[in-house]
């Protein structure tokens, strides 16, 4: 079988989970609460092995883009020296990689919730920003190769325990963005998020806080399985997305992410390859939505997909084999919904599987967001 070119950019997404403990128990979370109490974190050797694994598989698969996400758990719970080691080592590694391989785009994202953090914690991120800019100087291709700090906002979950905490969170974000920090806000598509309305969310996240919101979907994994009431309907989600991006365009297109269709890599696609790596080095061949599956891998001593495997050649070969199997599975799914002839297939990659239970595959209904993509293409993307 010949694999189709699923993306305009052959890209891989590396999501690194150096710790699993978290200071929150959000109802929408894709990680089960019982898996958030682990105190272990990734060793320095494990982190170096993780970086080597991602760069090796990127070169072997001849990708054009690497997105490296450092996430949790919650990173602010790590010892300060440990978090500094992770971030600075990643910057050092990928800036050197970029010099050797200028044809490959590299992005680094650090994901933290900025809840109950100290001023010193915030200032440290301003230091990391300067450090990244210095290291990547001359090798920076806007908007990709920045150290981007991402936090999140979901109004109808227990993300914010009190109004006081919410106001403090906003102050922290303003402190960073007013000093030149590029901050992303992840909008999880819960029913409460949609009820706030696109204008209100846009005004707060863009106009007031000066962040770059991107849309994430409520995944019925982890603790979210216990709260199906948070899941909006497919039609509600599509209409909200139309409203949000239309509002963006009518207000001067402040968000660079949504001006062109290929930027939907971060919106609705399955990446060319996704690798989630746990604190113990175990590798899951999918994004962080498979977090509970990853937890099962930790307890499986026979799992050979581990960045700490001393047989690096076997590890790389096995990882590539698993990636190809996943792409073939995605392609089979795309045939079910006639993605091959779709105008959006070059960046949609066959639909977003979280909604496959909401449509009739036998009738060829799209599991992605074709109504939204058609709307944006006809209204905006064709009129650059």
């Amino acid at each position: 079988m010949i694999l189709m070119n699923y993306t305009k950019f052959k890209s891989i997404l590396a999501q690194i989970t150096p710790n699993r403990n978290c200071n929150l128990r959000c109802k929408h979370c894709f990680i089960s609460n019982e898996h958030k109490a682990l105190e272990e974190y990734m060793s320095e050797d494990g982190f170096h092995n993780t970086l080597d694994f991602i760069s090796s598989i990127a070169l072997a698969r001849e990708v054009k883009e690497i997105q490296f996400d450092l996430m949790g758990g919650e990173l602010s719970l790590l010892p300060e020296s440990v978090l500094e080691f992770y971030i600075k080592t990643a910057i050092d590694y990928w800036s050197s990689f970029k010099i050797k391989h200028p044809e490959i785009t590299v992005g680094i994202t650090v994901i933290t919730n900025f809840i109950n953090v100290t001023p010193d914690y915030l200032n440290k991120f301003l230091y990391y920003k300067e450090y990244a800019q210095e290291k990547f100087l001359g090798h920076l291709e806007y908007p990709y190769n920045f150290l981007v700090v991402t936090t999140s906002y979901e109004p109808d979950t227990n993300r914010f325990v009190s109004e006081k905490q919410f106001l403090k969170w906003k102050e922290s974000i303003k402190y960073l963005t007013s000093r030149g920090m590029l901050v992303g806000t992840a909008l999880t598509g819960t029913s409460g998020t949609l009820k706030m309305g696109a204008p209100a969310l846009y005004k707060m996240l863009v106009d007031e806080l000066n962040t770059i919101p991107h849309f994430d979907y409520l995944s019925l994994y982890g603790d979210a399985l216990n709260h199906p009431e948070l899941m909006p309907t497919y039609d509600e989600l599509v209409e909200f997305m139309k409203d949000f991006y239309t509002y963006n365009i009518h207000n001067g297109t402040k968000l660079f992410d949504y001006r062109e269709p290929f930027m939907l890599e971060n919106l609705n696609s399955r990446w060319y390859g996704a690798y989630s790596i746990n604190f113990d080095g175990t590798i899951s061949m999918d994004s962080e939505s498979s977090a509970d599956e990853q937890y099962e891998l930790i307890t499986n001593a026979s799992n050979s997909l581990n960045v700490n495997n001393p047989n690096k050649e076997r590890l790389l070969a096995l990882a590539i084999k698993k990636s190809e199997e996943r792409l073939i599975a995605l392609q089979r799914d795309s045939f079910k919904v006639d993605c091959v002839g779709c105008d959006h297939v070059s960046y949609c990659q066959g639909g977003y599987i979280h909604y496959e239970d909401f449509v009739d595959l036998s009738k060829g209904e799209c599991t992605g967001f074709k109504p939204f993509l058609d709307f944006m293409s006809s209204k905006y993307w064709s009129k650059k």
Side-chain angles (χ1 to χ4, degrees):
M1 179 180 289
I2 299 175
L3 294 173
M4 69 171 68
N5 180 17
Y6 274 93
T7 63
K8 195 163 186 174
F9 300 114
K10 286 173 64 177
S11 55
I12 62 172
L13 171 63
Q15 294 180 311
I16 317 305
T17 307
N19 67 317
R20 275 182 167 264
N21 56 326
C22 186
N23 54 357
L24 300 174
R25 296 294 184 269
C26 298
K27 292 187 292 185
H28 71 279
C29 191
F30 50 78
I31 302 176
S32 295
N33 284 339
E34 63 266 27
H35 297 164
K36 296 178 183 176
L38 297 173
E39 296 296 329
E40 296 96 328
Y41 53 84
M42 186 176 284
S43 67
E44 291 188 4
D45 286 343
F47 195 71
H48 283 297
N49 289 336
T50 296
L51 293 165
D52 288 340
F53 168 75
I54 296 301
S55 63
S56 295
I57 204 162
L59 293 173
R61 303 191 68 191
E62 299 181 338
V63 305
K64 298 186 183 302
E65 179 178 351
I66 300 169
Q67 178 58 45
F68 186 86
D69 290 357
L70 190 62
M71 56 198 304
E74 170 49 34
L75 297 180
S76 63
L77 299 182
L78 289 165
E80 182 180 328
S81 60
V82 173
L83 181 57
E84 180 170 350
F85 167 80
Y86 292 150
I87 295 178
K88 291 183 68 175
T89 300
I91 294 170
D92 290 343
Y93 189 95
W94 293 118
S95 59
S96 296
F97 179 91
K98 181 65 180 172
I99 292 172
K100 296 175 184 175
H101 306 283
E103 74 282 3
I104 300 178
T105 298
V106 179
I108 303 173
T109 301
V110 181
I111 301 175
T112 175
N113 58 40
F114 286 119
I115 290 178
N116 292 331
V117 296
T118 65
D120 287 344
Y121 186 77
L122 297 175
N123 286 324
K124 203 71 176 180
F125 275 89
L126 295 176
Y127 163 71
Y128 296 142
K129 174 182 74 74
E130 299 295 333
Y131 187 80
Q133 289 177 337
E134 178 183 338
K135 287 289 183 176
F136 277 100
L137 187 62
H139 309 281
L140 218 56
E141 298 157 358
Y142 189 83
Y144 297 101
N145 293 342
F146 275 80
L147 175 72
V148 182
V149 177
T150 300
T151 185
S152 58
Y153 175 71
E154 296 83 21
D156 65 343
T157 73
N158 52 334
R159 167 71 64 177
F160 302 105
V161 178
S162 65
E163 180 70 12
K164 182 179 179 181
Q165 189 180 73
F166 175 52
L167 294 175
K168 186 176 180 181
W169 175 80
K170 291 209 295 185
E171 289 175 4
S172 295
I173 302 303
K174 287 180 183 179
Y175 181 83
L176 292 174
T177 56
S178 66
R179 289 161 175 79
M181 189 84 217
L182 189 61
V183 177
T185 41
L187 277 173
T188 301
T190 62
S191 297
T193 302
L194 273 58
K195 286 176 183 176
M196 285 191 69
L201 280 168
Y202 191 96
K203 288 174 183 176
M204 182 183 74
L205 297 176
V206 181
D207 294 336
E208 180 185 355
L209 300 182
N210 199 27
T211 66
I212 302 171
H214 64 273
F215 209 77
D216 209 352
Y217 303 113
L218 177 64
S219 309
L220 290 181
Y221 299 95
D223 206 51
L225 282 170
N226 301 320
H227 300 282
E229 74 278 2
L230 297 179
M231 190 77 161
T233 67
Y234 180 90
D235 290 340
E236 286 173 339
L237 194 54
V238 169
E239 287 306 309
F240 176 85
M241 291 164 65
K242 288 181 183 178
D243 290 344
F244 193 84
Y245 302 123
T246 297
Y247 193 88
N248 170 49
I249 290 168
H250 287 172
N251 283 272
T253 317
K254 297 177 183 178
L255 310 179
F256 57 74
D257 298 71
Y258 310 113
R259 281 198 300 231
E260 313 226 14
F262 64 75
M263 290 305 294
L264 284 166
E265 285 283 2
N266 289 317
L267 177 66
N268 75 320
S269 67
R270 309 301 290 173
W271 292 62
Y272 181 67
Y275 305 91
S276 295
I277 301 173
N278 266 286
F279 64 85
D280 68 332
T282 50
I283 305 167
S284 174
M285 311 302 291
D286 204 343
S287 69
E288 271 289 305
S289 59
S290 62
D292 286 333
E293 171 194 330
Q294 293 175 35
Y295 184 81
E296 301 304 320
L297 291 175
I298 294 173
T299 61
N300 184 356
S302 64
N303 175 40
S304 57
L305 273 178
N306 190 303
V307 297
N308 300 312
N309 187 332
N311 190 337
K312 302 303 181 186
E313 290 185 4
R314 171 172 167 71
L315 172 64
L316 185 61
L318 184 58
I320 291 175
K321 179 176 181 292
K322 293 288 187 181
S323 296
E324 294 301 322
E325 289 173 354
R326 175 133 184 89
L327 277 178
I328 290 173
L330 283 172
Q331 186 174 16
R332 286 174 181 155
D333 286 344
S334 74
F335 288 141
K336 295 178 186 176
V337 293
D338 197 28
C339 292
V340 177
C342 179
D343 293 338
H344 314 297
V345 72
S346 64
Y347 48 87
C348 179
Q349 301 185 12
Y352 203 82
I353 64 173
H354 291 167
Y355 271 86
E356 61 186 352
D357 294 333
F358 293 76
V359 298
D360 188 347
L361 287 176
S362 67
K363 295 181 180 179
E365 293 184 5
C366 178
T367 60
F369 291 93
K370 191 174 188 298
F372 166 71
L373 301 176
D374 285 343
F375 171 81
M376 294 298 284
S377 292
S378 64
K379 293 282 255 182
Y380 302 113
W381 290 334
S382 60
K383 302 176 182 179
K384 297 179 187 176

